[in-house]
Amino acid sequence: MTLSVNQLQCSRGDICLFEGLTFELTAGQLIWLEGKNGSGKTTLLRSLCGLFLPDAGTIKWKGELTRSTEDTFYKDLFYLGHQNALKLDLNPVENLQVLSRLAGESVSEEQADEALSRFGLSGYEETPVRKLSQGQQRRVALSRLLLSKASLLILDEPFVALDAAAVELLQSVIVTQVEQGGMAILTTHQALPIPEEKLIRVSLDRYV
Amino acid sequence: MFDSFLALLKRDLLLALRRRSDIFTVLFFFIIVVSIFPLGISFEKAVLQKIAPGVVWVAALLASTLALERIFANDYADGTLEQMLLTPQPLSVLVFAKTLAHWLLTGLPLVLIAPLAGLQYHLSASTIGTLMLVLLIGTPILSMIGAIGAALTLGLRGGGILVSLLVLPLYIPVLVYGSGAIEAAMQGDVSLQPYYLLLLAFLLLALVFTPLATAASLRISVE
Amino acid sequence: MAINWFKYSSPSSFYPLAGKMIPVFMTLAIVLIMGGLYWGFFETPDVLSDQKQYYRIIYVHVASAWMAMWLYVVMVAWAVLGLIFNTRMSYMMASATAITGAIMTALSLWTGAFWGQTSWGTWWDWDPRMTSQLILLFLYIGYIALQSAIEDNRRSDRASAVLAMVGLAIVPVIYYSINCPDPNECASLHQESSLKRVESNILIAMLVVTAGFWMYCFAVILMRVRNIILLRESHTQWVERLEVKK
């Protein structure tokens, strides 16, 4: 189970963000993506997911081009971008259930309740997301992590808007997933408690 | 796949149920447009009957384009659309679920309110029947073609007016045969079957091809 | 001999090639249009069926109307090439073609209005051909509007390409519905071609002018595409070198 990126090149408008980007990620590893603002971190994550079409280069999942095997790739992928992908008029449980059914999985109400309570949201199950704070909304979105069976996590600034307790919880969730043989790519300014040999640092500033 | 389709359809209907005003704005727009034509043209029964097919259809076209922007705009803004693109399901199936929900919320109400317009324009009961039937076949085509336009103009400034510019010319065949059928029904001695068959053919073609085109457009626009 | 077509799909090699082609097409256009118009104005009968001298606008009118339709197909062809091979040059050609096509459509409507005014006494008539031409203009306008509404070049190229393809797929249906609004009366779409009734001298002049219009359109499309290339590639080194040379 590997994600291999070879000679990837992406540009926004007329500006080339990075070129010749090559790395490999295997089970149990985590990539910490670094780079200045505007260096193309989000663009890289989006092109790994297939949301953005790179100018050149290949992205392979389990040895196959992700472009041509989207349905199997997306079964293994969990992506969370800057947006929470929550419907403000639905309550957290409904949101979690709809999103997992869209992905072809099914989540019972109890499972959803449990995931929400681990992120400190018990008591808010029936509240429309509209009435939750920014940080709470982010936590609802992140509790999907506990329900997902995906082995590749791609997280864009997952720690933003979280308080210290939630940051710690999220870190432990990610670390557990990775230690159980999953893999993750994320951008963040926090330090992660992960042993150096399992952590790959990729800095985009070097590829401009 | 079918499960995801149902989940999305149910979600969109549930969301609309929680914000009911959105359904009614389109409906009232249709009623108002239909009602102001007599004020501008004439109250004479013969004139009204003459213009009724065209007026009802043009009002339906405008109401449909007016509602188009909303098909994908919310999902785009809150990131749900990205998640839809990243599911193992074929995007065109999800797109079809959204379009169907959109038609149920904006097209079907027009079909149901159409008898009111028929009464305003002194149409006979059988003509009103034809009117409802052609609207029932025609409005889903409008939603499906419109969805392509909505996907292409996703997130653009002035997207609402732009989308009408793109899709109104593409609505012409539906307009021509939709209002043609009503006119033929008023004459009475003409066979209506060819109109129904043509519109049904358009509906089938739209069912097969538009979800693919809309899915392709969404991928381009989300990037 | 095998030519590497993809070599010319890069703007930097297409730009000089287009520059060399423009004078050729322009010369051909001038020769053909002048020749055709001369033949049409002085060597053809004064009266065409019941129409007098003013029918001679036909040489411009028909040529522009044909160009309007053909250029739409050309535009879609470029757009499809762009979507398949992901070549920027194809999209640039498509958008350059769209503007020329829209101008040709407007020209045919304008000359048609003059002709209508002199022969039927009306500037506009909802006859199927004029109506289809008007709808074609709307399709061009939609394409151009979508393209200019999207700031990101890549998205605007690909989105407008999809729109053009959808338009081309629906165009036959639109034409059918305009030509045959009552399906009870026309079961088949066999319209008698008016070309057969035209006198051969007039036909020759018309075809020559049309060939000239093709050449003219090629020339202006290439000129326009050179401008688009410069605009989009202004940050690249080869464009900078171009400026130094001048």
Side-chain angles (χ1 to χ4, degrees):
Chain A
M1 205 164 60
T2 45
L3 177 78
S4 47
V5 172
N6 196 15
Q7 295 296 322
L8 199 68
Q9 179 185 341
C10 286
S11 49
R12 263 228 174 266
D14 293 334
I15 302 148
C16 176
L17 293 169
F18 50 82
E19 55 186 338
L21 183 67
T22 303
F23 62 81
E24 208 175 66
L25 183 66
T26 51
Q29 285 182 322
L30 185 145
I31 284 187
W32 183 357
L33 191 61
E34 294 168 312
K36 295 192 295 265
N37 288 342
S39 61
K41 295 188 294 280
T42 297
T43 307
L44 172 60
L45 295 186
R46 288 171 61 84
S47 50
L48 291 179
C49 297
L51 289 172
F52 188 89
L53 188 68
D55 296 340
T58 57
I59 303 161
K60 285 182 179 173
W61 174 246
K62 295 179 179 170
E64 309 242 13
L65 284 176
T66 53
R67 277 261 151 206
S68 48
T69 53
E70 281 187 343
D71 42 346
T72 51
F73 174 56
Y74 287 152
K75 274 203 186 92
D76 297 329
L77 174 73
F78 179 94
Y79 169 75
L80 186 64
H82 291 281
Q83 291 150 325
N84 291 329
L86 299 176
K87 285 286 152 197
L88 297 182
D89 290 318
L90 300 182
N91 66 40
V93 177
E94 287 167 334
N95 264 304
L96 293 182
Q97 283 184 315
V98 164
L99 281 167
S100 56
R101 280 184 72 191
L102 277 184
E105 293 164 11
S106 69
V107 165
S108 70
E109 219 164 297
E110 291 75 41
Q111 286 172 306
D113 283 348
E114 196 196 313
L116 287 171
S117 73
R118 271 200 65 192
F119 270 91
L121 288 166
S122 33
Y124 292 100
E125 290 91 348
E126 302 289 318
T127 320
V129 170
R130 178 181 301 287
K131 296 195 175 140
L132 301 181
S133 75
Q134 279 300 317
Q136 285 171 321
Q137 291 185 7
R138 191 69 180 164
R139 280 196 257 171
V140 176
L142 287 166
S143 56
R144 281 176 55 210
L145 266 175
L146 299 171
L147 302 168
S148 161
K149 298 182 186 78
S151 46
L152 174 64
L153 314 179
I154 296 187
L155 307 169
D156 199 351
E157 298 285 355
F159 298 102
V160 164
L162 295 182
D163 58 24
V167 166
E168 207 166 298
L169 176 66
L170 179 58
Q171 279 181 346
S172 79
V173 170
I174 296 172
V175 169
T176 328
Q177 292 258 28
V178 171
E179 277 170 355
Q180 284 170 354
M183 51 186 98
I185 303 179
L186 52 90
T187 60
T188 177
H189 303 292
Q190 319 267 340
L192 279 167
I194 294 212
E196 279 292 326
E197 69 269 17
K198 285 188 178 169
L199 190 71
I200 306 174
R201 286 169 175 244
V202 174
S203 169
L204 283 180
D205 299 334
R206 278 181 290 142
Y207 289 92
V208 180
Chain B
M1 193 167 91
F2 192 63
D3 190 53
S4 308
F5 174 85
L6 277 184
L8 190 56
L9 184 64
K10 221 177 95 187
R11 187 207 72 175
D12 273 14
L13 296 181
L14 186 67
L15 282 172
L17 213 63
R18 297 204 177 156
R19 333 202 94 227
R20 252 160 283 181
S21 59
D22 282 359
I23 310 173
F24 288 107
T25 41
V26 176
L27 198 57
F28 285 127
F29 177 83
F30 176 75
I31 296 171
I32 289 175
V33 170
V34 166
S35 308
I36 58 172
F37 268 91
L39 299 176
I41 297 174
S42 157
F43 297 127
E44 257 177 77
K45 188 175 171 183
V47 177
L48 288 180
Q49 283 178 333
K50 184 100 189 97
I51 61 168
V55 166
V56 173
W57 266 105
V58 169
L61 252 54
L62 294 178
S64 159
T65 47
L66 190 76
L68 281 178
E69 213 187 347
R70 281 204 302 257
I71 301 189
F72 301 114
N74 280 335
D75 283 351
Y76 178 60
D78 63 23
T80 326
L81 192 60
E82 273 180 359
Q83 296 295 332
M84 277 180 222
L85 261 63
L86 298 181
T87 60
Q89 331 299 335
L91 183 58
S92 48
V93 171
L94 300 182
V95 160
F96 183 58
K98 284 204 64 74
T99 317
L100 182 62
H102 184 258
W103 176 74
L104 287 173
L105 296 166
T106 61
L108 193 59
L110 298 191
V111 179
L112 298 177
I113 203 77
L116 194 66
L119 293 178
Q120 283 179 309
Y121 284 78
H122 309 289
L123 301 184
S124 69
S126 70
T127 311
I128 290 179
T130 311
L131 172 70
M132 289 181 74
L133 193 56
V134 287
L135 279 175
L136 187 68
I137 309 174
T139 45
I141 310 178
L142 303 185
S143 295
M144 284 189 278
I145 296 179
I148 305 176
L152 288 172
T153 55
L154 202 57
L156 297 182
R157 264 177 289 127
I161 195 92
L162 184 62
V163 78
S164 0
L165 209 61
L166 305 187
V167 301
L168 278 176
L170 306 180
Y171 284 170
I172 289 170
V174 179
L175 170 70
V176 169
Y177 293 117
S179 52
I182 305 168
E183 235 162 85
M186 285 197 284
Q187 285 171 16
D189 54 348
V190 195
S191 163
L192 291 175
Q193 199 190 19
Y195 291 99
Y196 293 142
L197 289 180
L198 273 171
L199 285 172
L200 281 170
F202 296 161
L203 181 63
L204 282 178
L205 285 175
L207 275 171
V208 175
F209 292 110
T210 56
L212 297 171
T214 311
S217 312
L218 280 179
R219 285 195 192 280
I220 292 169
S221 295
V222 165
E223 191 173 277
Chain C
M1 189 183 74
I3 303 173
N4 183 6
W5 291 104
F6 280 97
K7 186 191 159 205
Y8 292 109
S9 67
S10 103
S12 56
S13 48
F14 189 78
Y15 183 85
L17 178 74
K20 280 185 216 126
M21 275 154 48
I22 289 170
V24 179
F25 284 131
M26 221 26 153
T27 320
L28 278 173
I30 293 170
V31 171
L32 286 170
I33 293 176
M34 296 300 267
L37 284 182
Y38 174 81
W39 190 263
F41 283 167
F42 301 109
E43 303 293 329
T44 52
D46 285 345
V47 180
L48 172 65
S49 62
D50 57 338
Q51 309 216 18
K52 302 199 186 70
Q53 292 286 354
Y54 51 70
Y55 85 83
R56 292 188 200 278
I57 202 170
I58 196 174
Y59 300 114
V60 181
H61 176 66
V62 172
S64 56
W66 279 344
M67 288 316 300
M69 293 187 274
W70 288 331
L71 286 181
Y72 194 83
V73 179
V74 171
M75 177 186 91
V76 176
W78 281 120
V80 170
L81 279 181
L83 285 175
I84 295 174
F85 297 111
N86 203 16
T87 42
R88 281 176 302 157
M89 217 35 250
S90 320
Y91 292 124
M92 294 187 209
M93 285 300 286
S95 62
T97 311
I99 296 173
T100 308
I103 292 172
M104 284 291 147
T105 319
L107 184 65
S108 79
L109 285 170
W110 186 34
T111 50
F114 273 110
W115 194 3
Q117 170 62 18
T118 43
S119 64
W120 309 324
T122 168
W123 294 103
W124 180 257
D125 187 53
W126 290 98
D127 108 306
R129 286 195 192 171
M130 295 174 81
T131 315
S132 342
Q133 208 68 10
L134 184 67
I135 305 302
L136 187 62
L137 182 65
F138 293 160
L139 291 177
Y140 274 122
I141 290 175
Y143 177 90
I144 297 168
L146 179 65
Q147 200 159 48
S148 42
I150 307 177
E151 271 166 36
D152 179 48
N153 281 336
R154 197 155 76 151
R155 179 179 164 192
S156 93
D157 283 343
R158 300 203 289 148
S160 53
V162 170
L163 180 71
M165 280 171 68
V166 171
L168 188 71
I170 300 187
V171 155
V173 185
I174 296 178
Y175 275 32
Y176 181 80
S177 70
I178 291 171
N179 277 293
C180 171
D182 183 354
N184 279 312
E185 276 179 14
C186 47
S188 63
L189 185 66
H190 280 296
Q191 214 183 27
E192 194 197 340
S193 170
S194 47
L195 273 184
K196 284 179 199 145
R197 289 185 273 113
V198 179
E199 205 234 351
S200 61
N201 258 330
I202 299 176
L203 186 63
I204 291 168
M206 231 154 69
L207 292 178
V208 173
V209 175
T210 309
F213 265 60
W214 266 110
M215 295 302 130
Y216 168 79
C217 288
F218 279 146
V220 290
I221 288 170
L222 288 175
M223 286 159 116
R224 198 163 275 130
V225 92
R226 266 165 66 99
N227 285 342
I228 298 176
I229 293 176
L230 284 187
L231 264 176
R232 292 202 185 174
E233 306 272 307
S234 54
H235 62 284
T236 58
Q237 286 178 333
W238 72 267
V239 174
E240 270 168 36
R241 278 200 298 274
L242 218 59
E243 280 161 9
V244 174
K245 259 190 264 171
K246 280 170 190 165

